[in-house]
Amino acid sequence: MKALSVVGPAADTDAAAAAVAAALRPRGRVATVRRDDTVATPASTARSVSLSDHGAWAASGVDRTLDDVLADLAPAFDYVIVEGFPDAALPTVALGDHDASDPDVTAPNADALDTEAVLAAVEDAPVRETLDSLVASLKSHEDSEFAGAIATFTGRVRERDDPDDTPTRHLEFERYDTVAEQRMATIREQLCERDGVYDVRMHHRTGVVPAGDDVVHVVVLAGHRGDAFRAVSDGIDRLKDEVPLFKKEVTVDDAFWRHDTPE
């Protein structure tokens, strides 16, 4: 899934989001997330969902961040347009005199928006994957009827190894995009060539990943659990050994690249 932020006057953001959504629909499934500060926060933890006969729905709740909502939408949508979140770390369209930080596309109003420039910004955006979205993609595989197993591995950012360690605040990952993508594609292809393995998905986040967050997933669709477990294990081992990823660790006291620090 790829996400785009639209900021500016409410009327313009609605019109711009509608235009971009219409342009994206031939390419995939599109959702829209709008900021609405008029919704009262419930005193309880109860959620409210409205569902129409044709499948359209709306929801409200508590303790949900934008990242939480995007993660919920990732399995079901290819694109999400976000309105009214100026601080979102997403490719951004700024309308009017909105002082967005380093927008990708600007326009005085929705009518003047260059839709092709917006589509290019969306396609350049990083893919947002979750464990649920990767599993969902495998369940729709053409050979899924023959598969009796989906095995997964999730790697998290560990805050500390033991109680005496200095806590890690976050890790920052960089990679050589072309080389990393080629290596991951090769690993995936070779795992898929194994007997009993139908498909494999691998995803590693880049940028800043806070302690406690998921950072890497390997998901395998296979006929039987043994084939699935072996492919998952080999997949994560090969990803760590063969894909050029550079990791900076930021603790409460210091910051350093892991290859600069002796084990």
Side-chain angles (χ1 to χ4, degrees), residues 64-225:
R64 304 297 290 160
T65 67
L66 178 59
D67 280 342
D68 292 335
V69 173
L70 293 177
D72 289 344
L73 294 173
F77 293 93
D78 302 298
Y79 302 97
V80 175
I81 302 168
V82 175
E83 296 183 49
F85 290 82
D87 298 325
L90 300 171
T92 300
V93 174
L95 301 169
D97 59 358
H98 194 284
D99 187 22
S101 176
D102 193 25
D104 295 83
V105 181
T106 60
N109 52 56
D111 291 337
L113 185 64
D114 183 347
T115 305
E116 290 302 317
V118 177
L119 296 182
V122 173
E123 295 304 339
D124 287 342
V127 176
R128 300 175 70 96
E129 293 281 15
T130 66
L131 179 60
D132 286 343
S133 68
L134 295 170
V135 169
S137 70
L138 291 190
K139 286 184 175 181
S140 64
H141 190 274
E142 61 183 1
D143 292 325
S144 63
E145 64 180 305
F146 307 113
I150 294 177
T152 73
F153 170 83
T154 297
R156 304 172 68 243
V157 176
R158 182 173 51 246
E159 185 171 351
R160 62 180 89 196
D161 281 322
D162 61 60
D164 295 328
D165 280 348
T166 301
T168 295
R169 285 182 171 168
H170 67 257
L171 299 180
E172 184 174 347
F173 293 90
E174 295 181 2
R175 71 182 186 184
Y176 293 128
D177 282 342
T178 302
V179 176
E181 289 171 3
Q182 290 174 344
R183 297 272 177 86
M184 290 179 72
T186 298
I187 295 168
R188 177 177 176 267
E189 289 170 4
Q190 291 176 350
L191 291 174
C192 288
E193 290 172 356
R194 296 183 176 186
D195 289 340
V197 174
Y198 294 109
D199 205 355
V200 176
R201 292 286 185 271
M202 309 173 76
H203 179 72
H204 198 298
R205 289 175 62 182
T206 56
V208 174
V209 185
D213 277 15
D214 297 345
V215 66
V216 59
H217 301 293
V218 178
V219 186
V220 174
L221 179 75
H224 301 278
R225 64 181 183 274

